[in-house]
């Protein structure tokens, strides 16, 4: 029987898992978070006031069975409506408010514990968690809700460079400090993380030059007024090449946004039914294009980014870094533009790693995940996008067998689900797992 669930991480995934266990009248939960403030995670806890959600408020309810929950909360707090793109700090306050209310109403069935989990041992009797302070916690099941992992350092960057000049963590509070308008900043990556950091630099008062560099130089597209197409009656089953042709044709007929959006109800099933070879081809050739069309910018964000480009403050470049050398004047980066054989050398006052969150479990140095990986408790998924899990979110051990007492949620399960980084997908995943764990109180291991 599952009477007690320990949840590692109190960001969006972990917080919602705990709340949904209570809503399903399921097992009691202990939510363990190493940060000072639970309930927000990196996405909302480290957000700058200039950062807004890239999904309209009408689709940002944390509760899949109550689509209007977030909009009602916004209305009660005088902060927006269905079509608005709320500030991320506002969404963080929404999550924290939900957690506080859940704790108050839990009757001691939900405990939030400050701590850093360093190991988890599982057997048929449950899970035992070890914390950094040496204490242990026994539970019937454990859930890894660790969120996104930090980006990997590009080749040639990292420990040899001054932490003042090279910021491996884009959310380091000092990213925007100590800069003059005569400086040039390099942002490695041109995706959503780059957008956040560029806007944060501008909002901090920096007016110097910003160069954003990635292999293709692609920027996220903007949201437009909602214009849903007729929708697809069933999941597409054609080959990836034929599907690409279909989406292009649909884009010409109903607009590319609607053509991409109508795949949303089916993308997880399409990913699950794709072969490893098909997934690999998609990741190698199409992922950058999918990302910039699928994960879009709020109109006000796109306007600010365009204004920065129009006045010459921000330049997006397609190219590849070759080497980085620290000098008294900054970091000299050797790089080559895409399609060119000419090698260039440019001096930057500061470089920020904006390549985005990574999930390769074989390369992670995150202590808990590295320990579990090295002991064979968990393993990387075949595409090395995160933690290998089955369709029920059970982690898969090195021997290929599912762990009946250890689950994983959120972006680190993208290898199994692909579309599992946004609120609409994670809220459903946490809801489903809460139902399974709640039902397991009565049906035993078969309910897992």
């Amino acid at each position: 029987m599952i009477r007690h669930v320990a949840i590692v991480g109190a960001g969006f995934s972990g917080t919602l898992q705990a709340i949904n266990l209570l809503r399903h009248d399921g097992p009691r939960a202990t939510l363990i978070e190493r940060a000072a403030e639970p309930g927000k995670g990196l996405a909302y806890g480290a957000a700058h006031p200039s950062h807004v959600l890239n999904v309209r408020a009408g689709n940002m309810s944390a509760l899949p069975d109550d689509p209007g929950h977030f909009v009602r909360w916004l209305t009660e707090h005088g902060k927006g409506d269905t079509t608005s793109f709320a500030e991320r700090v506002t969404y963080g306050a929404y999550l924290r408010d939900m957690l506080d209310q859940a704790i108050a109403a839990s009757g001691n069935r939900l405990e939030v514990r400050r701590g850093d989990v360093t190991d988890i041992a599982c057997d048929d009797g449950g899970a035992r968690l070890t914390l950094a302070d040496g204490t242990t916690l026994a539970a019937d099941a454990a859930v890894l809700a660790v969120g996104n992992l930090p980006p990997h350092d590009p080749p040639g960057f990292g420990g040899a460079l001054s932490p003042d000049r090279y910021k491996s963590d884009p959310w380091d509070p000092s990213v925007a400090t100590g800069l003059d308008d005569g400086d040039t900043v390099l942002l490695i990556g041109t995706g959503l993380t780059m957008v956040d950091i560029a806007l944060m630099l501008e909002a901090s008062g920096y007016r110097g030059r910003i160069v954003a560099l990635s292999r293709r130089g692609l920027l996220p597209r903007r949201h437009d007024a909602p214009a849903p197409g007729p929708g697809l009656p069933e999941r597409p089953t054609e080959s990836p090449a034929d599907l690409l042709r279909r989406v292009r044709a649909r884009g010409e007929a109903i607009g590319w946004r609607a053509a991409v959006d109508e795949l949303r109800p089916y993308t997880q099933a399409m990913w699950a039914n794709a072969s490893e070879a098909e997934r690999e081809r998609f990741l190698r050739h199409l992922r950058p294009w999918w990302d910039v069309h699928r994960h879009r910018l709020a109109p006000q964000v796109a306007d600010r980014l365009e204004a920065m480009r129009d006045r010459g403050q921000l330049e997006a470049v397609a190219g590849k870094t070759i080497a980085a050398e620290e000098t008294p004047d900054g970091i000299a980066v050797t790089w080559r533009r895409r399609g060119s054989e000419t090698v260039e050398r440019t001096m930057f006052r500061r470089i920020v790693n904006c390549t985005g969150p990574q999930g390769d479990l074989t390369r992670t140095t995150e202590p808990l995940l590295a320990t579990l990986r090295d002991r064979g408790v968990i393993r990387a998924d075949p595409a090395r996008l995160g933690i290998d899990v089955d369709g029920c979110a059970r982690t898969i051990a090195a021997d290929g067998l599912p762990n009946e007492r250890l689950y994983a949620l959120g972006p680190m399960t993208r290898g199994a689900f692909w579309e599992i980084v946004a609120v609409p997908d994670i809220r459903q995943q946490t809801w489903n797992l809460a139902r399974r764990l709640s039902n397991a109180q009565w049906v035993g291991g078969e309910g897992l």
Side-chain angles (χ1 to χ4, degrees), residues 300-441:
Q300 62 265 43
V301 171
D303 288 343
R304 287 181 58 192
L305 205 68
E306 186 175 348
M308 293 176 69
R309 299 181 72 193
D310 287 346
R311 63 174 177 262
Q313 182 180 11
L314 173 65
E315 178 187 9
V317 181
K320 181 180 180 180
T321 60
I322 300 171
E325 177 187 0
E326 188 154 8
T327 75
D329 298 322
I331 298 178
V333 176
T334 305
W335 63 287
R336 184 170 52 243
R337 294 177 187 270
R338 187 177 180 86
S340 172
E341 296 299 323
T342 302
V343 174
E344 303 182 37
R345 181 180 169 92
T346 307
M347 189 70 68
F348 297 97
R349 170 64 182 83
R350 179 162 293 157
I351 299 174
V352 186
N353 184 357
C354 297
T355 54
Q358 300 297 319
D360 187 352
L361 201 66
T362 66
R363 297 177 60 187
T364 187
T365 58
E366 201 287 326
L368 173 61
L369 298 185
T371 296
L372 296 177
R373 174 202 64 202
D374 293 345
R375 287 203 293 107
V377 178
I378 61 175
R379 70 180 187 184
D381 65 78
R384 294 190 176 182
L385 297 174
I387 301 169
D388 201 12
V389 298
D390 66 8
C392 296
R394 294 180 297 187
T395 59
I396 306 297
D399 61 6
L401 298 177
N403 291 305
E404 299 287 353
R405 303 289 179 167
L406 182 62
Y407 297 78
L409 291 171
M412 285 297 288
T413 65
R414 61 171 66 88
F417 303 107
W418 179 243
E419 288 279 316
I420 199 66
V421 299
V423 165
D425 306 298
I426 297 175
R427 70 187 175 202
Q428 189 64 53
Q429 186 188 38
T430 60
W431 173 271
N432 292 342
L433 181 55
R435 289 185 64 183
R436 293 189 192 103
L437 293 173
S438 299
N439 289 338
Q441 292 186 96

Side-chain angles (χ1 to χ4, degrees), residues 233-258:
E234 57 186 10
R235 174 175 63 85
T237 57
E238 56 260 64
S239 70
D242 288 340
L243 178 61
L244 179 59
R245 284 190 284 270
R246 182 230 278 255
V247 172
R248 285 173 172 165
R250 293 287 288 169
E252 293 179 1
I254 64 176
W256 67 261
R257 292 174 179 83

Side-chain angles (χ1 to χ4, degrees), residues 29 44 66 80 89 91 116 128 182 194 211 266 276 324 341 351 360:
Y44 310 112
D66 188 356
V89 292
Y91 200 76
D116 193 359
R128 180 169 294 275
M194 180 282 294
V211 177
Y266 308 106
E276 287 189 19
E341 296 299 323
I351 299 174
D360 187 352

Side-chain angles (χ1 to χ4, degrees), residues 183-268:
D183 295 330
T184 301
V185 175
L186 173 64
L187 306 183
I188 303 177
T190 58
L192 293 176
T193 302
M194 180 282 294
V195 173
D196 283 348
I197 301 307
L199 295 185
M200 185 268 291
L201 287 169
E202 184 207 30
S204 71
Y206 175 67
R207 295 296 178 265
R209 184 165 177 255
I210 301 171
V211 177
L213 175 70
S214 69
R215 285 196 303 161
R216 293 174 176 82
L218 298 174
L219 294 173
R221 284 14 179 199
R222 74 160 57 220
H223 273 287
D224 206 344
L232 298 177
E234 57 186 10
R235 174 175 63 85
T237 57
E238 56 260 64
S239 70
D242 288 340
L243 178 61
L244 179 59
R245 284 190 284 270
R246 182 230 278 255
V247 172
R248 285 173 172 165
R250 293 287 288 169
E252 293 179 1
I254 64 176
W256 67 261
R257 292 174 179 83
V260 170
D261 290 347
E262 68 181 5
L263 294 177
R264 281 282 281 136
Y266 308 106
T267 47
Q268 286 193 354

Side-chain angles (χ1 to χ4, degrees), residues 53-75 79-87 90-91 94 223 226 264 298 423-425 427:
L53 300 171
N54 61 356
V55 176
R56 290 179 176 84
N59 198 25
M60 285 296 289
S61 169
L63 307 178
D65 59 327
D66 188 356
H69 189 262
F70 180 49
V71 172
R72 292 199 308 275
W73 186 92
L74 286 174
T75 302
K79 293 181 177 292
D81 55 30
T82 304
T83 60
S84 66
F85 292 85
E87 296 176 350
T90 297
Y91 200 76
Y94 164 66
H223 273 287
R264 281 282 281 136
V423 165
D425 306 298
R427 70 187 175 202

